[in-house]
Amino acid sequence: MSSALPANLKHDLRTPLNHIIGYCEMALEEAQDLGRAEFVADLQRIHAAGRRLVTVIDDLFDATRQAKGGVEVAVLHHEVRTPLNQIIGYSEMLQEVASDLGHHAAIPDFQKIHHAARQLLDLVFTKFLAATVAATPPAEGATIFLRRDATAERGVGISAVEILLPVEPGAVLVVDDNSTNREMLTRRLERLGHRVSAAEDGSEALEKIRAQAFDLVLLDIQMPVMNGHEVLAQLKADPILRFLPVIVLSASDESESVVRCIQMGAEDHLRKPFDPVLLQARINASLEKKRLRDREASHLRQIEEERRRSDELLHIILPRNVAAELKATQAVVPRRIENVGVLFCDLVGFTAFSDRHPPEEIIGYLQQLVERFEDVAARHGLEKIKTIGDAFMATAGLLEPSESSALNCVRCGLELIAVAKACPPHWQVRVGVHVGPVVAGVVGRKKYQYDVWGDTVNIAARMEQAAPAGAVCVNAEAWRIVNAFCVGHSLGTVAIKGKGEQEIFQVTG
């Protein structure tokens, strides 16, 4: 859209601009005379931006340009808005610095510069746009937004300050292709305590985001190389970065673009130039949301970790498939299982050893031995059921069907004897094995465990009690199952409680 501009509009725009330059020059002279070097650099930046605006406005009202059909409204943002943003931003920071350093006499001139810049901004977005729109009607179906800056006339009163709740500073990335905008916004954020990095385009921003952790991104929309929309698209497509909050920075004629950014997942938006209170409030709100999401994610991770630890503990107490059944149904159905090998292993002389040694030494030796026993049992396909004092109990074919339950138990028992003899203080053990049907299940509500019952269990326990030190013993029934694979001999008959006289065999290899 282009238009010819009324002659008096140039005078209206130049009046506040002259105030900006005039007050800036007086403040600069005073700062140099009084040695207030902390003001000089920012005043020089304001003065340079003001001079740029003079050139821009003169060019906009150039007779040659007017004769060719006026100016493009887009020039407003590319040539007028950027220096205006800088003047407003630096004048706000000068007021803050002067207040912090106690140079209160300098503040009125800085306020006048700020007020004149706001007045010029208001004129640009009312008279300038109104004139161009009136001169050239919009295309059919187009929507024109004539908006005043909502913060132009608002002072920083109590109601504005009350919304700035304390928020822990964060790591913020400022992305803007204008170096002065980056420097100004960086300084303002650093004054608020944030850790600030900057990038001049979207490509550099993505490199920095992937290289280090940020809590918030302030993202300009219009940039070369890669614009804000492209950056947002890549962030939201990344499962790791998609929750990083982004506040888009926009000029007032970018309403459609801002809406698109919000739809793409941007957290919020800020219009240039930034009201310092609104800037701080939006940043604080986004950082607080980020930290709430982080805490929620951390809480969920803790819950998952506790669940995993609970599962591991349950699997330590119970066999894995039994634990899975208990978790799924809150109960374990008791079952009768055929052809289960049962092994009992007991330390010889453990009671006497315990009487002569301190508890720490006893438990240390026992822990080392039981860990070795667990490894041996697993290697032979046995499932440890429990330890009872110094006795070790395991089964074969209980949870997974096996055609060699008895033989696996015998082989395991022979290795347990060798392992016990090798472990300090060089134990001797007795091992009893039997095979047959058992009933398996879980009983009790507290400190429960998976257990087995039946004659098979009782006979295996009696075989262990009847075995000599360093021997694996079975009864005649079990011997008939394993004798084709094992070497052994009869020890004669012994009285088995509840079973009468039974012949037992020692397996020697």
Side-chain angles (χ1 to χ4, degrees), residues 352-368:
F353 178 85
S354 299
D355 291 339
R356 300 192 306 270
H357 294 81
E360 297 83 0
E361 187 177 350
I362 297 167
I363 296 301
Y365 283 139
L366 195 58
Q367 176 70 22
Q368 180 186 27

Side-chain angles (χ1 to χ4, degrees), residues 438-497:
V438 299
V439 173
V442 174
V443 294
R445 289 181 301 169
K446 297 180 180 179
K447 299 181 182 178
Y448 52 75
Q449 66 178 15
Y450 191 67
D451 212 341
V452 291
W453 301 270
D455 273 350
T456 302
V457 178
N458 295 334
I459 292 173
R462 300 295 184 268
M463 292 299 100
E464 176 268 309
Q465 293 165 5
V472 176
C473 284
V474 298
N475 68 359
E477 181 183 353
W479 177 246
R480 283 193 293 272
I481 297 173
V482 302
N483 66 6
F485 307 95
C486 300
V487 178
H489 57 271
S490 174
L491 297 179
T493 58
V494 296
I496 301 296
K497 184 178 179 182

Side-chain angles (χ1 to χ4, degrees), residues 253-267:
D253 68 343
E254 295 177 329
S255 299
E256 182 179 344
S257 185
V258 169
V259 170
R260 179 182 169 193
C261 287
I262 297 298
Q263 290 173 339
M264 292 175 68
E267 190 80 20

Side-chain angles (χ1 to χ4, degrees), residues 194-226:
H194 302 294
R195 303 178 302 281
V196 187
S197 297
E200 65 180 22
D201 59 58
S203 179
E204 183 186 357
L206 286 173
E207 289 180 8
K208 291 193 172 186
I209 290 169
R210 287 169 177 145
Q212 64 187 95
F214 290 99
D215 298 310
L216 176 66
V217 177
L218 299 183
L219 179 67
D220 192 19
I221 297 177
Q222 298 297 333
M223 294 182 294
V225 182
M226 180 182 290

